[in-house]
Amino acid sequence: GLVFMAFALSPKSPAFSRALSFIAFAAAVWAISGTAYLFLTYLTISGGLFSLDNTFFDQFWIFLTAIELGQLVSLNVLAAYLLALVVLLIRNLTSVILAAMLGLASLIPMAFSGHAAGSSSHALAVNALGLHLLGICIWVGGLAALMISYRQDPRADLVKRYSSLALFSIGLVAISGISSAQIRIGTLENYLTTGYGQVTLLKTTMLILLAGFGFIYRTRFIEKLNERAAGFWKLVTLEFLIFGAAMGLGTALARTANPVSDYPSGDLTPAEIL
């Protein structure tokens, strides 16, 4: 959302403060849900049950401070709380850009967790996942900010600017997604016969549908928004539903074992043996 604001909105725009209020709310939701995710991740990994005794909280603190996964997720959650506060103080475009940089930097810990962290193609896997997250966040967050901004300030150039951001994001998501899939799935057979491969194919279908919506934006709606406003809102609503399904599938992938082993095979180098 902040990236969209930096790209499309002026501080003098009537939509500027409304968009900031929405982004502050979104960051607060992210912080709260991230806290729940952090806590549930600990329960899943430890295999323990929640209790109020000191032993439970001592072990949870060790997870947050000494275990890599806990540290990475904690950094992401702390960034969400910090961003929710920072956005409330924003008054100009420079601070929007700095806040956007903070939000995008908070994706780095997530790129280092999940399947990418243990992959034998570690560098490529982490970079691909990081770019995937970057593209998705700009794409989805930008669409949400566009909806809020357009209601307040209905101008076609806002949609046109978002369309350019979305086009960039589609390319980023597609290229990084193909790279990630190839690392973790490998063969065509694995795409068709494994749960991980099948969910990836469903995600690919969602991407194609969303790219089609982007094509409709650029060819049909941008120049005729005043005459076809109702159709625009219907398209945006449908797009959000498909985004939700695609991100749900992405969450499922993060919890599904990938077909290609994370461990290197063949003649191992001394570094791989270590």
Side-chain angles (χ1 to χ4, degrees):
L2 289 164
V3 171
F4 171 79
M5 287 186 66
F7 192 67
L9 293 182
S10 162
K12 297 178 181 180
S13 166
F16 191 83
S17 59
R18 180 65 64 87
L20 281 177
S21 298
F22 167 75
I23 291 168
F25 171 76
V29 172
W30 167 21
I32 294 167
S33 59
T35 301
Y37 173 76
L38 175 61
F39 185 71
L40 293 172
T41 299
Y42 167 71
L43 291 179
T44 301
I45 289 175
S46 67
L49 297 174
F50 174 70
S51 68
L52 295 174
D53 59 49
N54 289 335
T55 302
F56 177 86
F57 288 104
D58 288 343
Q59 292 175 344
F60 184 50
W61 180 251
I62 291 172
F63 173 70
L64 298 180
T65 58
I67 307 299
E68 186 177 29
L69 179 61
Q71 293 171 340
L72 291 170
V73 180
S74 296
L75 285 172
N76 180 264
V77 173
L78 284 173
Y81 281 104
L82 180 60
L83 193 64
L85 293 174
V86 165
V87 170
L88 296 175
L89 305 175
I90 287 176
R91 294 292 181 270
N92 55 54
L93 201 57
T94 301
S95 52
V96 168
I97 294 170
L98 293 174
M101 291 170 64
L102 170 63
L104 295 176
S106 70
L107 300 176
I108 295 173
M110 302 310 291
F112 278 99
S113 63
H115 290 301
S119 172
S120 56
S121 303
H122 175 79
L124 180 58
V126 169
N127 291 336
L129 181 57
L131 292 174
H132 205 63
L133 291 169
L134 176 67
I136 289 169
C137 286
I138 292 175
W139 196 359
V140 180
L143 182 61
L146 169 66
M147 289 182 68
I148 299 299
S149 303
Y150 190 79
R151 283 187 180 278
Q152 189 75 14
D153 185 16
R155 290 184 289 118
D157 67 303
L158 293 183
V159 183
K160 189 175 292 185
R161 285 174 177 263
Y162 169 74
S163 180
S164 299
L165 274 181
L167 185 63
F168 164 78
S169 299
I170 289 170
L172 206 57
V173 170
I175 293 169
S176 59
I178 291 169
S179 301
S180 295
Q182 192 56 35
I183 292 167
R184 296 177 177 86
I185 300 173
T187 65
L188 178 61
E189 182 182 358
N190 284 339
Y191 278 97
L192 301 174
T193 59
T194 66
Y196 195 96
Q198 291 162 358
V199 173
T200 301
L201 289 176
L202 285 173
K203 274 193 70 183
T204 303
T205 303
M206 303 288 182
L207 176 65
I208 293 170
L209 285 173
L210 290 166
F213 287 154
F215 178 77
I216 293 172
Y217 273 133
R218 296 186 78 88
T219 58
R220 295 189 182 182
F221 280 112
I222 291 179
E223 302 301 332
K224 301 178 181 179
L225 274 178
N226 292 332
E227 297 88 8
R228 308 187 67 176
F232 169 76
W233 289 113
K234 289 177 182 177
L235 184 65
V236 167
T237 302
L238 183 58
E239 193 169 359
F240 261 119
L241 290 173
I242 296 176
F243 267 133
M247 295 174 83
L249 290 170
T251 304
L253 281 181
R255 297 295 187 182
T256 304
N258 43 307
V260 175
S261 173
D262 287 334
Y263 295 99
S265 58
D267 295 328
L268 303 185
T269 67
E272 288 174 333
I273 294 170
L274 180 62

